[in-house]
Each structure stands twice: as C-alpha cells, then as structure tokens.
Amino acid sequence: MSPSAAPSVLFVCVHNAGRSQMAAAFLTHLGGTRVQVRSAGSAPADTVNPAVVEALAEVGIDISAETPKVLTTEAVQASDVVITMGCGDACPYFPGKRYLDWQLEDPAGQGVAAVRPIRDEIERRVRGLLAELGVGPAA
C-alpha cells in the first residue's frame, strides 16, 4: 500500500447478508473517502438480512439498497486487508495481504434484538481497525 493511497478493506462472510454488510457499512460511515471498502460472500444470499438493515438504521446507517455480492479473486487482490467472518476455506489467500478473522455470531435467522450486540461489536472492531490503519473517524 502506497502512503498516499487510501487503504482498501474487504469484508467476507458466507452470505454477505449480515456481518460483512454491517462491517462495510460502519467502515464506509466512519472512514469516509479515506478508505476503500468492499464486502462479499462465498455463497451470497438473495437479499441483506432485514434485521441487519433495521439494526443499522437505528444508528443512522441506511443499507436498504445494498445487495449481497459474490466473492471474487479480483476483490481479494485489490484489497490491502481481508477480514473474514466465518467463511472458512472459501476465502482465497494471496501473499502480501493482511488477513484477519473476526469471530462473530451469525445474525442469520435472528431478530433485531439479537443483532444489536453483534452490530455494536462490529462497530467497536471497525473503530479499532481505523486506528490501526491510521485513519481517524470522518467528521
């Protein structure tokens, strides 16, 4: 990563309908244009989990127009940091990339009350990631 380029982060989970969508939304919301954000799934769902959409709306982040995306080799290659969330061996590995695995409960099939603590933990981790990347929260 060149010093002048914005760091790029890819969040990956199986369905790209919950955890990775929340993480990408928080990183986009907090990092603004100072970070490039991608999310994808190894077996994407048809839609984003409605409880996830509702939980993010409660904190002022609208992802109602987002759709799950398929994980591609190109997305991994274009990212500086790849954060996996339960995708196991489905995530391609490339030398020189920084890989992190965030163990988080899967919000699939859960209501908004169960999604809130997952959302809050993801926000905490994203804020820590921004600090590690040297990118302060957007004003």
Side-chain angles (χ1 to χ4, degrees):
M1 179 173 71
S2 69
S4 61
S8 59
V9 178
L10 169 65
F11 294 101
V12 183
C13 66
V14 175
H15 300 297
N16 190 223
R19 296 167 288 186
S20 56
Q21 289 282 351
M22 285 191 279
F26 273 118
L27 190 56
T28 299
H29 181 74
L30 297 169
T33 59
R34 291 159 300 140
V35 63
Q36 296 176 9
V37 184
R38 297 175 182 84
S39 73
S42 54
D46 293 328
T47 60
V48 175
N49 180 333
V52 166
V53 173
E54 184 179 342
L56 284 175
E58 291 176 350
V59 295
I61 300 174
D62 180 9
I63 65 163
S64 60
E66 293 297 324
T67 57
K69 295 165 236 20
V70 68
L71 176 64
T72 64
T73 301
E74 293 78 20
V76 177
Q77 290 174 318
S79 301
D80 300 308
V81 181
V82 179
I83 299 177
T84 58
M85 303 170 175
C87 72
D89 295 334
C91 300
Y93 177 82
F94 293 97
K97 303 291 175 194
R98 179 176 173 206
Y99 287 85
L100 300 171
D101 185 43
W102 288 0
Q103 297 293 320
L104 296 159
E105 187 176 346
D106 189 347
Q110 300 194 56
V112 70
V115 172
R116 287 182 188 118
I118 302 167
R119 173 201 65 199
D120 296 345
E121 176 61 16
I122 288 173
E123 180 182 10
R124 185 188 70 74
R125 292 183 189 207
V126 165
R127 288 182 181 278
L129 177 67
L130 281 167
E132 288 175 29
L133 295 172
V135 177

